Structure formats: C-alpha cells, structure tokens
Amino acid sequence: MAEVLEFRVPAGSAQTLLVWGLEPEPGLEHSLFSAFSRFGPLYSVRAHRNAAVAGPGCYAIIKFYSAGDAGRAQRACNGQRLFQKSPLKVCVCTKQKGRPQQALALTSNKCQELANHYLGFNGWSSRIITLQDVSGFDGKNEELEKTSQKRSVKYLCAVEVALPNHGLHSRGVALGEADIENSEDPLEFVTASGRVQKLAVGKALSNAFQKILLVVLENGKVAVEYNSSQEEPADSLTEEELKGLVQVNGLSLERFDLEEEVLCDLSFDDELPGWEMPSN
C-alpha cells in the first residue's frame, strides 16, 4: 500500500516510537539516531531520564516521517540489544488522546533533507524568482521612527522548486521581518537585513514544498503529486508579475507569513547554498 508524505512535522502516533530500557551513556541520542535512521529518515530523537518511580534508566521518543519506516524499525529493534548490553523495548505509540493538532510546516532545512532522501540530490532544484525589500511599505516604519529608534526590516521572497524527473514546479512566497533596535547603527542594519533575507528565502522554500506530496510505493519507488489545496493567488502570476507583486497587486504582506523559522540558526556570514539568484 502506498504512503503519502507531506513536508510537515509528523504528528501521527503511527510515526512515533517509544523506546525504553535504555542505559544512560554519553551520546545516547547519537547512538539512537545511528541505529534507527537506517530504516528511514528521522524527524527527531529525544532521550529522557526515567521518572523516579520508574527506577534508573532512560527512555526515548523517536519520530519518523513515514509510518511504514516506523513499523519496520519497531519490528526489527524490539527485544534487540543494538548498542547496549541489555535488550531494548520498542513500541509504536498508542493513539494520542485529545483534539488532533494541525501539523506545522517543516523548516526549509528539514524540507531539503526529506527531498534529498526521497528524490535524490539531483532530483530537485530551487531558484529565487524575486527577493524584494518591502520595508516601510505599510507605513509603519515612518510612524516608529517618529517615536523611537526602532526600525523594521522586511523582505518578500518568491521561490520556485522544480522536480525535472516528474515535470512538476511549485512556487512559494513568504515574508521575513525583524526589528532593529538602533536604526542609526549601520552594522546592525546590514546584519539584520542579511538575516531577514535568508529568513524570507527559507520560509518561501518551505511554502513551495507544502504543495508537493511524496507518494512512497511498496516497491520503494517514489511518485510525486501536486497538492492543489495549498495553492495561493500568487501561484497564477507570471514571473514578471511576481517581481512586482506588491506594486501590481496591492496584496497584504501578512498573508504570506508562514510558520517562523529560527532566526538565530541563520548566520549572516553563511552563503545561500545552491541558490540561483534573480537577475536584475
């Protein structure tokens, strides 16, 4: 039976394993990652000490993207010693109680990891269609500058992801924003601008991946489908219209704001790897 994967944080109980009977040791999470990642890509590995009433030792929560991978890992690892002297107990988490939570979009780094695993490093590419400085477009900067030294930096980015082997293209649009405490400091302004640009690019890339569905077949092959339910008005625009998105359409910038990526993870000194920048 085929399994459909989205570029979202795995939220299903069938994708989550509970591992207990772990012996405390340095690098425990690394050992768990090495043992379980051979069954498929992992979203996260978290190890914790047992509660006092449970006695000494540790347990871990391991999240797979694929429920099929999680099931294979459970069957293969339950009762095995793996990297320690005593056997582990591994089970698929029972169905979670309460209201189901909406799955969050993966960050751009996680999207790229998942795409590389299922599509191959050469199976997809991305390019920046436009990256616009839209600071002050809503008039807020002028109002702030009159009352304080704070200034807001905003960049709007449009990205296209291409899957040439499947004949599929997907676009994403997003806004990156940050406040500058001291707008008179040129270094602070340049640093913040660089980080906001990278933030906008990452969020736009994540947005583009939200419209792609990976269909993993029983034989291990991967098909791809376009998720039209995630389409936005900007998807019907030409590239020239996208480059003049704000001026031509008068669209609200806030509508393109996605789940926040971690700004502190973005180094201003880092290059944007593999990006084709738009020509002027």
Side-chain angles (χ1 to χ4, degrees):
M1 185 176 179
E3 182 178 5
V4 179
L5 303 182
E6 297 180 277
F7 287 85
R8 292 184 173 273
V9 176
S13 56
Q15 298 157 290
T16 306
L17 297 184
L18 173 62
V19 183
W20 72 99
L22 290 165
E23 301 167 1
E25 64 173 61
L28 179 57
E29 289 183 348
H30 177 75
S31 298
L32 287 164
F33 184 90
S34 298
F36 284 88
S37 61
R38 59 192 176 99
F39 298 98
L42 304 179
Y43 172 72
S44 64
V45 176
R46 297 288 183 267
H48 308 273
R49 288 192 174 275
N50 291 341
V53 294
C58 298
Y59 71 94
I61 303 293
I62 299 176
K63 285 193 174 186
F64 284 81
Y65 290 103
S66 162
D69 292 344
R72 285 190 292 274
Q74 188 276 329
R75 293 188 293 272
C77 297
N78 186 36
Q80 302 299 313
R81 291 183 175 84
L82 298 182
F83 50 82
Q84 63 179 36
K85 295 179 180 179
S86 58
L88 301 174
K89 294 181 180 179
V90 184
C91 72
V92 177
C93 286
T94 55
K95 190 174 182 180
Q96 300 172 354
K97 297 181 180 180
R99 298 176 60 182
Q101 296 181 346
Q102 182 180 2
L104 301 176
L106 292 174
T107 64
S108 59
N109 287 339
K110 290 288 189 181
C111 287
Q112 292 176 80
E113 288 177 9
L114 200 59
N116 287 337
H117 178 84
Y118 285 105
L119 303 173
F121 289 95
N122 297 320
W124 67 279
S125 63
S126 59
R127 68 186 181 94
I128 297 173
I129 298 173
T130 184
L131 183 60
Q132 304 178 29
D133 182 356
V134 294
S135 305
F137 181 78
D138 53 6
K140 289 182 179 179
N141 272 338
E142 294 181 4
E143 296 177 8
L144 286 172
E145 288 175 359
K146 293 177 182 178
T147 58
S148 69
Q149 289 184 311
K150 280 189 176 181
R151 181 180 178 184
S152 178
V153 178
K154 295 182 180 180
Y155 274 85
L156 186 69
C157 182
V159 163
E160 181 180 70
V161 171
L163 280 60
N165 296 335
H166 301 273
L168 189 149
H169 296 260
S170 176
R171 288 176 178 175
V173 181
L175 179 72
E177 180 180 7
D179 290 331
I180 303 175
E181 292 295 328
N182 184 5
S183 59
E184 297 181 355
D185 185 344
L187 179 59
E188 185 176 352
F189 176 77
V190 171
T191 302
S193 295
R195 289 192 174 187
V196 170
Q197 288 180 50
K198 292 180 181 182
L199 179 62
V201 171
K203 292 167 70 176
L205 178 62
S206 174
N207 191 332
F209 273 114
Q210 301 313 302
K211 299 158 192 173
I212 298 173
L213 297 175
L214 301 172
V215 183
V216 183
L217 306 177
E218 287 186 356
N219 60 7
K221 293 185 178 180
V222 178
V224 173
E225 293 182 2
Y226 184 75
N227 187 3
S228 58
S229 66
Q230 298 293 322
E231 279 191 334
E232 300 167 309
D235 292 325
S236 61
L237 302 178
T238 65
E239 288 196 13
E240 290 303 315
E241 289 173 331
L242 276 173
K243 291 177 181 178
L245 186 64
V246 178
Q247 293 82 357
V248 172
N249 295 278
L251 298 176
S252 168
L253 300 180
E254 301 304 324
R255 71 181 301 162
F256 301 113
D257 204 12
L258 297 179
E259 186 66 27
E260 281 291 332
E261 298 220 9
V262 181
L263 190 61
C264 62
D265 287 346
L266 301 172
S267 169
F268 177 64
D269 294 327
D270 294 339
E271 296 294 331
L272 293 173
W275 288 103
E276 178 185 335
M277 295 296 293
S279 57
N280 295 325

